[in-house]
Amino acid sequence: MSDISFFAASACKITSVKVVTRFAPSPTGALHVGAARTAIFNWLFSANLAGDFLLRIEDTDRARSEERFERQIIESLRWLGIDWQGEIVRQSDRLDTYGKLAGRLVDEGKAYRCYVTADELGRRREEAREKGEVFRYKREWSQLGAAPGKSYAVRLSVLPGENIFVKDLVRGEIVFDSSEIEDFVILKADGFPTYNFAAAVDDAQMDISHVIRGDDHIINAPRQILVAEALGFGKPKLSHVPMILGADGKKLSKRHGAESVTEYRSRGYLPEAVLNYLVRLGWSFGDQEIFAKQELVKIFSLKGIGKSPSVFDPQKFLWLNGKYLRDMSEERMFEEIVSLVKKKEFPEQPREKLRKIIEQMRERSETLNGIVDQSLYFFTDDFEYEEKAAEKFLVEKNSQIFEFLLEELSCLEDFSYNDVHGGFQRVMKRTGLGLGRIAQPARVALTGSTKSPGIFDVVEILGRDSVASRLTRAIQFIKSRNA
RNA sequence: GGCCCCAUCGUCUAGGGGUUUAGGACGCAGCCCUCUCAAGGCUGAAACACGGGUUCGAAUCCCGUUGGGGCUACCA
């Protein structure tokens, strides 16, 4: 090894700039799962290297940006357990900076004022499209309609015939021909910067060292490089990660059902499951599927990021959520369910009863909501019988089973699981039937369904009174049906 | 159309020249457990897009074809 490379290697270590990443959503909607994954990757990457993770709100689209979306995005990030350092940077607060920088570029002859209106441009584009041609802005129109006081946009001069090299950490080098890039707008007529300008300026001024973002931005890379170069700014290292697609292979969108973190939250998904599922989409670590947050911070690296797009699989997501649901601590589960019960306006339950319901239902559900929704018969005596179930099990020949159960269960000492078990055994003896022949009709009488937790658990949870009234109801039902 | 990206089971993916009869996970099927449904355990079906190279040898490297996706805004 030569001295030079040794020096370079060690210098790199010592002076290596601190890793700074950012998440830069535009507040034009809720936090999309694709954007959430981008945030997770950036956050994990910087956390792994003991760097900073910053948050920047790209609200330069005046028509579509809304403050409520900003709040929603921030809330979603917090919910996911993603935290950032320092103040949130808001681009609308930095209009001055962009204006000055764009002015400087104009003064230096690297950019110019363009008086062609957006409408006119639209017309030209339309015209060209009709003729089957590709429209590209031509600089000679730049002074069209120029007049003092007239509004204009600022465009960056792009020299044609040059190669722009994008060094992508996950894809390698991508070359663009500058002739393909027109003199793009950096400052709109309303004084707001365009995305490519603001992003390049901010990344430099925020000392962003690494940008990890979706594949769909790869086309923007050469433009942002051009901006940084014109301004003499530094350039962050870029990594473009493959996009998340819907089952139809198209970019994930509203058409595919739930697409925002908020929606999954309200459907009863757990934040650690969302994080885990999303991180595994486009990133992997050998055969491992389940990752704790702290573990991810330790092991995450760009090496695990793949190149091909991934299809969002709701089924696997659901399975993962179920996994986490079964793992969740009792206390936290209890709190979540209590607030859900309240929200859904289900009747309030005694603490101990609810605890037992949860214990039984958590392994039969994939989401928090599922636990509550599938427990209706625990919450009220007033439930419907499933038609097929009633037809098969709420029949004359089972009447006696219900009568016996009523007798044996009513006189139990303390209605514990063991007591209930004993009660059923006595009914088995009296009828000469196996447990299966008794449990299934009982299940239907007690829950209206052929599916439920173990019958002794159901009986124990419901309690003496409720069981008695449900058995009576079943007996009545059979009678009235025969009448 | 142009530019750019991508290509292993249905899906997420491991594997990056010989260790591969291509591994894991979801889903699917079967079995076990069992009072039903789950959970859990076990077993099974299921993939290197195609064509050319390079090489003693290619899922792995190169080229092409095909297919998919993205961008093509005074949106981000």
Side-chain angles (χ1 to χ4, degrees), chain A residues 22-32 34-36 38-39 42 53-61 64-66 69-77 82 84 88-92 195 199 202-203 206 212-213 217:
Chain A
R22 44 72 163 181
F23 176 53
S26 62
T28 53
L31 182 64
H32 189 277
T38 301
N42 278 285
F53 172 69
L54 311 180
L55 188 57
R56 178 170 83 218
I57 304 295
E58 306 212 325
D59 55 351
T60 54
D61 185 338
R64 296 197 303 148
S65 296
E66 286 182 40
F69 290 135
E70 183 182 320
R71 282 196 303 271
Q72 203 179 8
I73 288 166
I74 287 171
E75 197 196 323
S76 289
L77 289 174
I82 296 177
W84 55 93
I88 297 174
V89 174
R90 203 166 283 98
Q91 291 187 326
S92 58
Y195 162 70
D202 291 346
D203 283 342
M206 290 165 77
I212 303 167
R213 72 215 322 186
H217 282 289

Side-chain angles (χ1 to χ4, degrees), chain A residues 290-441:
Chain A
I290 312 282
F291 298 89
K293 206 170 113 180
Q294 280 324 302
E295 186 183 14
L296 283 170
V297 168
K298 261 188 219 131
I299 63 176
F300 185 85
S301 90
L302 260 25
K303 255 186 262 147
I305 293 181
K307 291 181 177 179
S308 44
S310 350
V311 173
F312 189 90
D313 181 359
Q315 292 203 102
K316 186 166 184 180
F317 191 11
L318 211 50
W319 164 79
L320 228 203
N321 200 60
K323 265 300 210 211
Y324 275 96
L325 205 66
R326 268 157 244 133
D327 257 15
M328 200 170 172
S329 78
E330 268 182 57
E331 305 89 284
R332 192 177 145 207
M333 174 74 89
F334 188 81
E335 276 170 38
E336 295 282 359
I337 295 297
V338 165
S339 80
L340 243 190
V341 167
K342 202 170 285 176
K343 197 155 96 195
K344 292 191 179 243
E345 295 177 345
F346 277 29
E348 213 171 301
Q349 301 297 316
R351 198 185 163 83
E352 189 52 21
K353 182 180 173 188
L354 192 55
R355 205 190 56 71
K356 283 179 186 162
I357 293 173
I358 293 170
E359 185 191 338
Q360 291 303 320
M361 297 309 286
R362 70 184 328 185
E363 68 189 32
R364 273 162 257 263
S365 308
E366 312 282 32
T367 63
L368 290 169
N369 294 37
I371 292 178
V372 177
D373 294 342
Q374 289 161 34
S375 298
L376 186 70
Y377 57 79
F378 281 126
F379 291 79
T380 171
D381 286 343
D382 187 27
F383 59 87
E384 307 259 311
Y385 294 133
E386 276 173 23
E387 206 176 309
K388 277 195 181 154
E391 218 164 277
K392 185 164 176 197
F393 293 103
L394 267 26
V395 292
E396 183 61 41
K397 71 173 166 97
N398 287 334
S399 254
Q400 194 175 47
I401 293 174
F402 297 141
E403 310 262 7
F404 286 175
L405 276 173
L406 199 50
E407 286 174 34
E408 295 294 349
L409 294 177
S410 298
C411 65
L412 291 178
E413 280 279 302
D414 61 1
F415 225 75
S416 67
Y417 184 95
N418 284 336
D419 264 14
V420 171
H421 187 67
F424 269 82
Q425 273 175 330
R426 282 190 292 281
V427 175
M428 282 162 71
K429 215 174 223 170
R430 287 172 70 180
T431 57
L433 296 171
L435 181 56
R437 301 288 296 278
I438 293 171
Q440 210 50 0

Side-chain angles (χ1 to χ4, degrees), chain A residues 194-213:
Chain A
T194 57
Y195 162 70
N196 281 315
F197 188 60
V201 168
D202 291 346
D203 283 342
Q205 297 193 335
M206 290 165 77
D207 290 319
I208 304 298
S209 65
H210 295 260
V211 169
I212 303 167
R213 72 215 322 186

Side-chain angles (χ1 to χ4, degrees), chain A residues 127-369:
Chain A
E127 235 171 73
R129 205 164 50 85
E130 271 166 25
K131 280 191 271 182
E133 289 167 2
V134 192
F135 175 83
R136 197 157 286 145
Y137 176 79
K138 299 219 182 53
R139 152 166 232 164
E140 52 267 35
W141 299 339
S142 63
Q143 294 304 311
L144 219 67
K150 212 149 179 216
S151 75
Y152 56 85
V154 177
R155 286 178 185 271
L156 189 77
S157 287
V158 180
L159 295 175
E162 307 221 322
N163 281 336
I164 303 164
F165 298 93
V166 176
K167 284 178 189 139
D168 189 302
L169 262 32
V170 337
R171 280 158 214 280
E173 191 170 78
I174 305 163
V175 188
F176 290 87
D177 179 357
S178 69
S179 312
E180 297 292 335
I181 302 172
E182 62 179 16
D183 291 351
F184 58 94
V185 171
I186 57 175
L187 208 62
K188 309 178 205 174
D190 64 3
F192 276 61
T194 57
Y195 162 70
N196 281 315
F197 188 60
V201 168
D202 291 346
D203 283 342
Q205 297 193 335
M206 290 165 77
D207 290 319
I208 304 298
S209 65
H210 295 260
V211 169
I212 303 167
R213 72 215 322 186
D215 221 336
D216 46 342
H217 282 289
I218 189 155
I219 206 86
N220 292 317
R223 285 163 227 266
Q224 289 169 18
I225 286 171
L226 252 17
V227 169
E229 279 173 354
L231 254 12
F233 285 172
K235 289 167 283 187
K237 293 198 181 349
L238 302 175
S239 301
H240 290 97
V241 309
M243 311 228 305
I244 300 176
L245 274 24
D248 59 357
K250 300 262 196 288
K251 195 173 169 177
L252 195 66
S253 76
K254 289 199 177 68
R255 294 194 320 278
H256 300 99
E259 51 137 18
S260 73
V261 171
T262 316
E263 279 172 87
Y264 283 106
R265 180 182 184 177
S266 70
R267 286 182 182 198
Y269 283 71
L270 270 21
E272 41 283 83
V274 176
L275 185 89
N276 195 150
Y277 181 70
L278 255 22
V279 83
R280 270 290 280 104
L281 226 42
W283 176 85
S284 63
F285 189 76
D287 283 341
Q288 195 171 338
E289 297 285 349
I290 312 282
F291 298 89
K293 206 170 113 180
Q294 280 324 302
E295 186 183 14
L296 283 170
V297 168
K298 261 188 219 131
I299 63 176
F300 185 85
S301 90
L302 260 25
K303 255 186 262 147
I305 293 181
K307 291 181 177 179
S308 44
S310 350
V311 173
F312 189 90
D313 181 359
Q315 292 203 102
K316 186 166 184 180
F317 191 11
L318 211 50
W319 164 79
L320 228 203
N321 200 60
K323 265 300 210 211
Y324 275 96
L325 205 66
R326 268 157 244 133
D327 257 15
M328 200 170 172
S329 78
E330 268 182 57
E331 305 89 284
R332 192 177 145 207
M333 174 74 89
F334 188 81
E335 276 170 38
E336 295 282 359
I337 295 297
V338 165
S339 80
L340 243 190
V341 167
K342 202 170 285 176
K343 197 155 96 195
K344 292 191 179 243
E345 295 177 345
F346 277 29
E348 213 171 301
Q349 301 297 316
R351 198 185 163 83
E352 189 52 21
K353 182 180 173 188
L354 192 55
R355 205 190 56 71
K356 283 179 186 162
I357 293 173
I358 293 170
E359 185 191 338
Q360 291 303 320
M361 297 309 286
R362 70 184 328 185
E363 68 189 32
R364 273 162 257 263
S365 308
E366 312 282 32
T367 63
L368 290 169
N369 294 37

